[in-house]
């Protein structure tokens, strides 16, 4: 036993220390080596077997049913290409998973929990494995990049290293399709080449995402348009990739029971067919614009969605109005337009709060690449030359509808969170599926705050920018309660999971803007107004209307108090930091 402990400790140490392994009995070294490699061999072996099996199955199925995702017939060459690609892709998945598993087992072996050495080693292995996962996503492309984007939003579940690597790469460094592949899509969809459809067509894409890329073009009547072209390989691999990722996830769960991301595969299986249908996306964009005009007219002038050219759009090609604007997180460019970043953060928060709590029709992929900013046409030059922003929403493929009951409970839950109402938090969390045993975790994931901060009646308990201690505590919770968090995510309805993703995307954008806007104040106002309006619809009388106005007055007074108190806290922190810096300078002198 003593020698076994010594060996495990050495396997986690530096190279200079591992020479001591030679002094151990060879039988013991072999035993530990077998334990380290057993899981690797299991993952690779199962992956190779499943890959060959799926390759044969995909060839057989494509012969029986020659319909692709978009309904076009496979030819023999395409079927052979799919059958040949499946084993290679699945084996690549299995090998990457095995290397990651081995790296964790080997690098952390014998290091004491909580020690400085283990913390350093864990950071290094997290970073290495995040880069391996990133490389796998880029090699396979398509839905793997989409999964990488999902992973980049799971900061409440996975290590920060993965979040940072995936967020910085999955949005801005996606592979592109060649111009010949773009021409292939045009020929299949419209029966013509790009230069026959448009007066001008730039073969170099403006941007590329996980499922498509965008080209600038000009129609024969002189209008500049943006043309979204689906990546060609998705037609061949989308269904098979979904099946292979599901198989790998199930195998990893079988070998490592604590690893359970099957709920993520369920979400991809549900959303991917819709995201691959650009007609569905175009209809979503028009419905979203209509909702703002009808249900949120006070914001309609500050939201814009590009119009669709239906004559030049199909399920794999989408032609839209070309938009001039700057990136939603490009702070310098935003300031150059005379717009305050805090105003951009505010309009973003208001836009999605209205979608969630009032429209019940929600854009669930609001990462930075899907939003742009320009000066609002109705904007006048204000104090110090400042202008109002107009938010441009792009990529409408991923939407979810909230029914009245879910919208009501979600709105009441957020109202309870903003006002630290413990009973309300528990009741509405349970109604949304979290259960009485996991509602605390649910509240923490929604707000990205420890429970003691969530229920703290202090005025700044849900400030947008938490302290470094808060973030460290949440990372500790993510590791300590990984199994419970996974169970919670399996319980929650799919639409709630997408709302969590939406919250995470918006939080990342707010953080990049560096704005001082308290998003939760805006959420508190809109959610409270939505609750009051729902109650008013149930009983429209003079008394109910009076109750509505009193409720909103109470909310506004409370939110005003929160804002004032928050300003006082900021002033206190400023003077405290100023005092500390003054003391340090005196000590130096």
């Amino acid at each position: 036993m003593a020698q076994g402990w010594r060996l495990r400790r050495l396997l986690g140490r530096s190279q200079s220390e591992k020479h001591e392994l030679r002094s151990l009995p060879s039988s013991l070294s072999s035993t530990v080596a077998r334990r380290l490699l057993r899981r690797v061999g299991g993952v690779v072996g199962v992956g190779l077997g499943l890959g060959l099996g799926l390759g044969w199955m995909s060839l057989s199925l494509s012969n029986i049913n020659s319909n692709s995702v978009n309904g076009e017939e496979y030819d023999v060459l395409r079927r052979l290409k799919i059958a040949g690609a499946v084993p290679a892709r699945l084996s690549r998945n299995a090998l990457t998973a095995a290397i990651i598993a081995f790296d964790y087992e080997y690098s952390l072996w014998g290091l004491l929990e909580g020690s400085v050495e283990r913390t350093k080693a864990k950071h290094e292995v997290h970073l290495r494995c995040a880069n391996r996962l990133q490389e796998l996503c880029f090699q396979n492309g398509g839905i793997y990049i989409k999964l990488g984007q999902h992973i980049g939003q799971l900061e409440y579940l996975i290590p920060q290293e993965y979040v940072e690597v995936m967020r910085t790469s999955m949005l801005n460094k996606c592979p592109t399709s060649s111009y010949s592949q773009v021409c292939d899509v045009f020929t299949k969809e419209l029966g013509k080449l790009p230069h026959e459809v448009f007066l001008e067509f730039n073969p170099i894409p403006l941007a590329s995402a996980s499922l498509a890329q965008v080209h600038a073009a000009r129609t024969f009547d002189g209008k500049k348009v943006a043309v979204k072209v689906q990546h060609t390989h998705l037609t061949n691999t989308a269904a098979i990739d979904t099946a292979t990722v599901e198989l790998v996830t199930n195998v990893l769960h079988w070998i490592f029971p604590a690893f359970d991301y099957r709920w993520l595969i369920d979400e991809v299986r549900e959303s991917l067919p819709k995201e691959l249908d650009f007609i569905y996306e175009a209809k979503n964009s028009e419905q979203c614009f209509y909702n703002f005009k009808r249900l949120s007219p006070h914001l309609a002038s500050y939201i814009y969605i590009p119009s669709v050219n239906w004559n030049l759009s199909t399920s794999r090609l989408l032609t839209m109005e070309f938009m001039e604007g700057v990136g939603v997180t490009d702070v310098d460019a935003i300031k150059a337009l005379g717009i305050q970043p805090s105003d951009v953060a505010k309009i973003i928060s208001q836009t999605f709060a209205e979608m969630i709590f009032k429209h019940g029709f929600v854009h669930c992929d609001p990462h930075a690449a899907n939003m742009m900013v320009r000066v609002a046409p109705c904007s006048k030059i204000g104090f110090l030359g400042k202008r109002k922003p107009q938010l441009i929403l792009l990529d409408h493929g991923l939407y979810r509808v909230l029914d009245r009951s879910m919208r009501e409970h979600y709105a009441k839950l957020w109202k309870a969170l903003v006002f630290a109402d413990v009973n309300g938090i528990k009741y509405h969390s349970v109604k949304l599926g979290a259960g009485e045993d996991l509602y605390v975790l649910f509240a923490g994931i929604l707000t990205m705050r420890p429970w003691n901060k969530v229920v703290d009646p202090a005025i700044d308990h849900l400030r947008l920018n938490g302290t470094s201690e808060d973030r460290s505590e949440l990372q500790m919770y993510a590791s300590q309660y990984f199994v419970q968090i996974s169970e919670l995510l399996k319980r929650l309805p799919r639409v709630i999971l997408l709302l969590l993703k939406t919250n995470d995307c918006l939080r990342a954008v707010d953080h990049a803007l560096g704005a001082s806007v308290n998003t939760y104040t805006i959420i508190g106002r809109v959610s409270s107004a939505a609750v009051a309006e729902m109650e008013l619809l149930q009983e429209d009388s003079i008394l109910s209307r009076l109750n509505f106005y009193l409720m909103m007055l109470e909310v506004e007074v409370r939110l005003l108090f929160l804002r004032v108190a928050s300003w006082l806290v900021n002033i206190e922190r400023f003077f405290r930091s100023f005092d500390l810096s003054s003391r340090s300078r005196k000590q130096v002198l």
Side-chain angles (χ1 to χ4, degrees):
M1 290 294 294
Q3 285 180 323
W5 177 86
R6 184 181 176 210
L7 177 57
R8 289 193 298 272
R9 184 175 66 85
L10 288 170
L11 284 170
R13 303 295 182 176
S14 65
Q15 286 295 118
S16 62
E17 293 176 305
K18 290 177 183 175
H19 73 277
E20 297 183 34
L21 284 170
R22 299 170 186 168
S23 64
L24 295 170
S26 59
S27 59
L28 181 58
S29 298
S30 300
T31 299
V32 175
R34 284 196 300 271
R35 290 179 61 187
L36 280 171
L37 296 174
R38 188 180 299 137
R39 293 180 176 179
V40 177
V43 174
V44 174
V46 172
L48 288 170
L50 290 174
L52 293 173
L54 271 177
W56 175 85
M57 182 178 69
S58 62
L59 179 59
S60 302
L61 288 176
S62 60
N63 278 311
I64 295 171
N65 179 11
S66 61
N67 289 330
S68 73
V69 174
N70 290 306
E72 64 185 29
E73 293 187 355
Y74 284 120
D75 53 25
V76 175
L77 181 61
R78 182 170 294 168
R79 289 198 297 268
L80 290 174
K81 185 185 294 184
I82 295 172
V86 169
R89 293 163 78 85
L90 188 56
S91 300
R92 189 186 299 141
N93 296 351
L95 182 61
T96 301
I99 292 173
I100 289 175
F102 179 83
D103 198 354
Y104 275 101
E105 291 276 353
Y106 181 79
S107 300
L108 302 181
W109 197 291
L111 294 176
L112 296 177
E113 189 68 44
S115 66
V116 175
E117 284 184 317
R118 184 179 178 88
T119 301
K120 181 181 178 182
K122 188 182 290 186
H123 167 71
E124 292 172 351
V125 73
H126 283 335
L127 198 56
R128 285 197 303 271
C129 293
N131 284 306
R132 291 187 184 110
L133 190 59
Q134 174 201 61
E135 184 179 355
L136 175 69
C137 291
F138 282 145
Q139 285 180 335
N140 287 343
I143 71 164
Y144 288 86
I145 294 177
K146 180 64 66 175
L147 283 170
Q149 292 174 352
H150 275 283
I151 291 171
Q153 305 302 331
L154 298 176
E155 59 182 323
Y156 49 80
L157 184 62
I158 64 174
Q160 189 64 27
E161 291 83 356
Y162 283 84
V163 173
E164 292 174 357
V165 168
M166 293 300 172
R167 281 185 179 174
T168 55
S169 61
M170 293 294 111
L171 297 180
N172 303 317
K173 302 177 183 178
C174 295
T176 61
S177 294
S178 66
Y179 183 61
S180 62
Q181 291 173 321
V182 171
C183 291
D184 187 47
V185 174
F186 265 84
T187 302
K188 288 185 173 71
E189 295 299 305
L190 298 176
K192 299 179 181 180
L193 294 173
H195 67 270
E196 297 173 318
V197 177
F198 297 102
L199 178 65
E200 299 174 5
F201 186 88
N202 191 340
I204 301 174
L206 296 171
S208 182
S210 57
L211 305 181
Q213 61 191 42
V214 177
H215 293 259
R218 192 175 298 277
T219 60
F220 283 101
D221 60 0
K223 293 182 180 178
K224 191 173 183 180
V225 293
V227 185
K228 185 175 180 179
V229 185
Q230 194 172 113
H231 294 310
T232 53
H233 65 271
L234 290 173
T235 303
N236 299 336
T237 63
I240 295 299
D241 277 350
T242 303
T244 56
V245 171
E246 182 176 8
L247 279 170
V248 170
T249 304
N250 287 331
V251 169
L252 286 173
H253 176 61
W254 173 60
I255 297 174
F256 308 102
F259 181 96
D260 192 0
Y261 284 77
R262 291 174 294 178
W263 55 269
L264 184 56
I265 306 304
D266 292 338
E267 174 52 42
V268 171
R269 190 191 298 110
E270 179 182 346
S271 63
L272 184 62
K274 296 176 181 178
E275 292 190 81
L276 290 174
D277 184 357
F278 291 171
I279 297 298
Y280 177 82
E281 175 180 344
K283 291 178 179 178
N284 285 344
S285 69
E286 293 192 339
Q287 181 64 49
C288 179
F289 205 17
Y290 172 75
N291 286 346
F292 275 101
K293 288 183 176 180
R294 183 173 64 93
L295 301 174
S296 306
H298 60 289
L299 282 180
S301 299
Y302 301 99
I303 308 297
Y304 194 81
I305 295 172
S307 59
V308 176
N309 186 324
W310 287 98
N311 294 327
L312 298 176
S313 297
T314 71
S315 61
R316 296 173 63 197
L317 280 173
L318 181 59
T319 303
M320 305 162 287
E321 176 185 4
F322 189 91
M323 303 306 304
E324 300 282 358
V326 301
V328 76
T329 56
D330 189 343
V331 175
D332 292 337
I334 289 171
K335 290 180 178 179
L337 293 176
I339 298 172
Q340 287 284 81
S342 59
D343 288 339
V344 176
K346 182 179 179 181
I347 193 66
I348 291 173
S349 297
Q350 288 176 327
T351 297
F352 284 88
E354 294 278 332
M355 282 189 192
I356 293 169
F357 301 116
K358 291 190 176 181
H359 305 176
F361 188 68
V362 187
H363 187 311
C364 291
D365 200 17
H367 56 69
N370 287 341
M371 293 184 282
M372 298 172 68
V373 178
R374 67 180 182 182
V375 176
C378 61
S379 176
K380 298 180 180 179
I381 299 178
F383 183 65
L384 297 179
K386 300 304 178 184
R387 298 175 180 269
K388 292 291 185 181
Q390 185 179 60
L391 180 67
I392 302 170
L393 292 177
L394 308 172
D395 195 349
H396 300 268
L398 187 58
Y399 270 73
R400 282 295 182 270
V401 176
L402 277 67
D403 60 40
R404 179 185 172 84
S405 174
M406 184 169 293
R407 187 158 52 94
E408 181 177 359
H409 285 298
Y410 195 65
K412 289 180 177 179
L413 171 59
W414 268 107
K415 181 182 177 183
L417 287 167
V418 171
F419 296 119
D421 176 6
V422 178
N423 292 331
I425 293 171
K426 180 178 180 180
Y427 178 79
H428 296 293
S429 295
V430 171
K431 285 293 184 180
L432 290 170
E436 294 191 0
D437 55 332
L438 295 179
Y439 76 92
V440 171
L441 277 177
F442 186 38
I445 289 173
L446 277 173
T447 60
M448 289 305 292
R449 293 289 181 274
W451 175 249
N452 64 323
K453 293 291 181 68
V454 172
V455 297
D456 186 351
I459 42 83
D460 64 339
H461 73 294
L462 290 181
R463 284 184 55 77
L464 176 61
N465 297 315
T467 65
S468 57
E469 290 80 8
D470 288 345
R471 289 189 286 274
S472 298
E473 190 172 352
L474 286 169
Q475 285 293 314
M476 180 192 69
Y477 286 156
S479 175
Q480 186 176 355
Y481 297 106
F482 180 86
V483 175
Q484 289 86 345
I485 295 175
S486 296
E487 173 61 27
L488 172 65
L489 297 177
K490 285 192 296 182
R491 288 184 191 180
L492 294 172
R494 299 273 81 80
V495 65
I496 296 297
L497 293 181
L498 279 179
L499 290 181
L500 292 179
K501 177 191 173 185
T502 300
N503 290 342
D504 294 335
C505 288
L506 296 174
R507 192 179 293 114
V509 170
D510 284 337
H511 181 73
L513 284 168
S516 60
V517 172
N518 192 334
T519 300
Y520 297 115
T521 301
I522 296 171
I523 291 176
R525 176 180 293 108
V526 179
S527 61
S528 299
V531 170
E533 288 172 4
M534 290 179 196
E535 294 178 353
L536 183 61
L537 287 174
Q538 292 176 354
E539 183 184 353
D540 190 358
S541 64
I542 296 178
L543 186 61
S544 59
R545 285 183 176 275
L546 179 60
N547 184 58
F548 169 81
Y549 291 119
L550 288 175
M551 182 187 298
M552 292 311 301
L553 179 61
E554 178 189 6
V555 169
E556 288 300 328
V557 169
R558 177 67 187 271
L559 292 178
L560 176 62
F561 178 77
L562 286 173
R563 287 198 300 273
V564 171
S566 182
W567 293 335
L568 293 175
V569 170
N570 283 334
I571 293 172
E572 180 187 356
R573 288 175 178 171
F574 171 78
F575 282 111
R576 188 183 303 164
S577 61
F578 180 78
D579 183 55
L580 289 174
S581 60
S582 298
R583 290 181 182 178
S584 60
R585 282 196 299 269
K586 289 179 179 179
Q587 289 177 355
V588 171
L589 294 174

